[in-house]
Amino acid sequence: MDTSSLIKRCPRLGSDVPFSYCRGCGEKGLPCFKVFDCWWETFDVVEYLKAELPEQDFARLRETRPKEKVLSLLEIIEQARKNAAQEKA
Ligand code: SF4
């Protein structure tokens, strides 16, 4: 799969990024921890990275996803608390 022309709006940066950026901007040169969430609709990113990455790196990348979902949930809760505090003020 030629991914060189793939571009997507990054929800973290708020600007367009090429897939090559997502492919290497994570911890220790791994893909971004959101790479599966951001690219699954564009192409089979799971199979692509499974073929591209060493087995242990692919496993590590998959393991980072649930932690991020928990983090996102915590951020939503924190935002709700702030909103509630502002409504009381
Ligand atoms: S994978 Fe990461 S860097 Fe790429 S668009 Fe998604 S959030 Fe942004």
Side-chain angles (χ1 to χ4, degrees):
M1 163 100 196
D2 179 13
T3 59
S4 62
S5 62
L6 298 178
I7 295 174
K8 181 162 292 287
R9 183 91 179 155
C10 174
R12 298 177 70 203
L13 300 176
S15 60
D16 289 351
V17 294
F19 178 73
S20 59
Y21 176 80
C22 307
R23 169 70 177 79
C25 72
E27 184 183 326
K28 296 181 182 171
L30 281 178
C32 173
F33 63 88
K34 288 182 67 66
V35 72
F36 297 127
D37 294 333
C38 290
W39 289 97
W40 71 270
E41 289 177 302
T42 307
F43 72 106
D44 192 347
V45 65
V46 175
E47 284 304 313
Y48 177 82
L49 290 176
K50 194 174 186 179
E52 280 267 309
L53 294 173
E55 195 173 322
Q56 65 189 41
D57 285 351
F58 182 76
R60 199 156 55 113
L61 181 62
R62 293 197 75 151
E63 287 168 9
T64 63
R65 298 181 71 209
K67 288 180 198 165
E68 177 56 24
K69 286 184 178 172
V70 170
L71 184 60
S72 294
L73 186 57
L74 292 175
E75 288 170 352
I76 291 168
I77 292 169
E78 182 61 28
Q79 188 60 49
R81 283 187 181 143
K82 285 179 184 171
N83 290 346
Q86 286 176 348
E87 286 175 14
K88 287 181 183 175

